[in-house]
Amino acid sequence: MKMSGGVEWALHCCVVLSRAGAPVPAAKLAELHDVSQSYLAKQLQLLSRAGLVRSTLGQSGGYVLTRATSEITVLDVVEAIDGAQPAFRCTEVRQRGPLAVPAERCDTPCPIARVMDSADRAWRESLRAITVADLVADVGRTTPAETLEAARQWLRA
Amino acid sequence: MKMSGGVEWALHCCVVLSRAGAPVPAAKLAELHDVSQSYLAKQLQLLSRAGLVRSTLGQSGGYVLTRATSEITVLDVVEAIDGAQPAFRCTEVRQRGPLAVPAERCDTPCPIARVMDSADRAWRESLRAITVADLVADVGRTTPAETLEAARQWLRA
DNA sequence: TCTATTCGGACAAGAGTTATCCGAGTCAAG
DNA sequence: CTTGACTCGGATAACTCTTGTCCGAATAGA
């Protein structure tokens, strides 16, 4: 039960991109966060496929958010990187073995699957309630103003 | 983001064990569910380490639940098999790279980590609210009476 | 005492994730 | 218009974790 580590990077990237007015190349994002540039590129590709960011090629190219930060939920990013499939997958154990329940009697989902689905929904709902805008606001509140200004300068260079 | 498949088996085993008055060997549980006997043994070991079941060696030995089903939550089983560690682990990205925030300024947890922790708590809370007794009741409600009786006979043999 | 049966931990195989590279395409400058 | 350098994108290995299997130690009953 482990989420892809790329989710953390992707979320940090979204926060940074929201502050930058111009496209930011993947290499710069990698250097800023001190992570593998090649691997971060993969995460950004996934964000691109999901339609959360748009890439611009050539000189002075890079990545830009496609929507307002208030329109991007944390769940959007998590599902883009980690996939949208639920963590639990019911294999219909009750239909196997010597006492298998016939399929036609299994009109209602397995109770175990129902509990897991419910928990999964609660988890996703919790992530859907927070947007990148909320994260940006929170970062702005807890980070020294000087650091924020330094970041802005560093990105511009 | 995938939960161990053994969780499903372990929960089914708990339901079965609650109906059996006597110890049930791992081999019988494996045959009943038509799953790998060697691998199921591993899951039962984990349940044993967690103190949810007690094993009896020798002839007519097997596994028995240690508590009433109403005292065993689904979360107990999930954490026994899949581990209790949260799916998201913050690597403190903000303390890395050229604009690293000094550690002494990081008194509050990273906003991203806070969101993830909150979602994780919601998920666990949802699983903690359901007990094995609830599952047993639900199974009894949705399974044909004849199948339940057949299971009882099969376990006895 | 002996035997059959049980669990427990140590031992491989496979899948998924992590990490990396190089080529195709594109924009900007000269 | 040409050149050139810079960008992303997908295809390619290394690694970790999960899955799956085995045999030995211990036990209860005959």
Side-chain angles (χ1 to χ4, degrees), chain A residues 1-7 39 46 74-75 77-89 116 119-125 127, chain B residues 1-5 78 82-83 85-89 115-117 119-124 127:
Chain A
M1 184 68 170
K2 184 165 144 290
M3 179 183 312
S4 168
V7 170
Y39 188 42
L46 291 172
V74 174
L75 181 64
V77 177
V78 169
E79 291 193 336
I81 303 295
D82 210 53
Q85 295 186 349
F88 179 87
R89 202 177 84 81
M116 293 299 179
D120 202 80
R121 264 196 300 277
W123 182 73
R124 289 191 147 76
E125 209 51 54
L127 293 179
Chain B
M1 185 67 169
K2 186 166 144 289
M3 178 185 311
S4 168
V78 169
D82 209 52
Q85 295 185 350
F88 179 87
R89 201 177 84 81
V115 172
M116 292 299 179
D117 282 358
D120 202 80
R121 263 196 301 276
W123 181 72
R124 287 192 149 75
L127 293 179

Side-chain angles (χ1 to χ4, degrees), chain B residues 64-140:
Chain B
V64 187
L65 295 177
T66 56
R67 313 180 220 154
T69 54
S70 59
E71 298 298 319
I72 302 177
T73 70
V74 174
L75 181 63
D76 289 332
V77 177
V78 169
E79 291 192 335
I81 303 294
D82 209 52
Q85 295 185 350
F88 179 87
R89 201 177 84 81
C90 179
T91 61
E92 285 293 334
V93 168
R94 59 183 173 175
Q95 293 186 32
R96 302 169 58 178
L99 288 101
V101 176
E104 63 262 22
R105 302 294 293 263
C106 294
D107 46 351
T108 59
C110 175
I112 292 174
R114 222 175 320 172
V115 172
M116 292 299 179
D117 282 358
S118 172
D120 202 80
R121 263 196 301 276
W123 181 72
R124 287 192 149 75
E125 209 50 54
S126 184
L127 293 179
R128 197 198 317 274
I130 308 294
T131 69
V132 173
D134 297 326
L135 292 180
V136 170
D138 219 342
V139 167

Side-chain angles (χ1 to χ4, degrees), chain A residues 2 7 9 17 19 25 35 42 46 65 70-72 81 85-86 100 102 109 116-118 123 126 130 132-133 139 142:
Chain A
K2 184 165 144 290
V7 170
W9 302 358
L17 287 178
R19 296 210 178 262
V35 297
K42 193 183 194 66
L46 291 172
L65 294 178
S70 59
E71 299 297 320
I72 302 178
I81 303 295
Q85 295 186 349
M116 293 299 179
D117 282 358
S118 173
W123 182 73
S126 183
I130 308 294
V132 173
V139 168
T142 58

Side-chain angles (χ1 to χ4, degrees), chain A residues 11-87:
Chain A
L11 282 168
H12 276 280
C13 286
C14 285
V15 171
V16 170
L17 287 178
S18 79
R19 296 210 178 262
V24 182
K28 221 165 183 49
L29 288 169
E31 188 186 351
L32 174 62
H33 296 120
D34 186 27
V35 297
S36 157
Q37 146 177 356
S38 310
Y39 188 42
L40 180 64
K42 193 183 194 66
Q43 319 302 335
L44 291 168
Q45 277 178 43
L46 291 172
L47 289 182
S48 180
R49 281 192 205 167
L52 297 178
V53 302
R54 177 62 67 187
S55 65
T56 316
L57 261 57
Q59 213 161 4
S60 77
Y63 288 96
V64 188
L65 294 178
T66 56
R67 314 180 219 154
T69 53
S70 59
E71 299 297 320
I72 302 178
T73 70
V74 174
L75 181 64
D76 288 332
V77 177
V78 169
E79 291 193 336
I81 303 295
D82 210 53
Q85 295 186 349

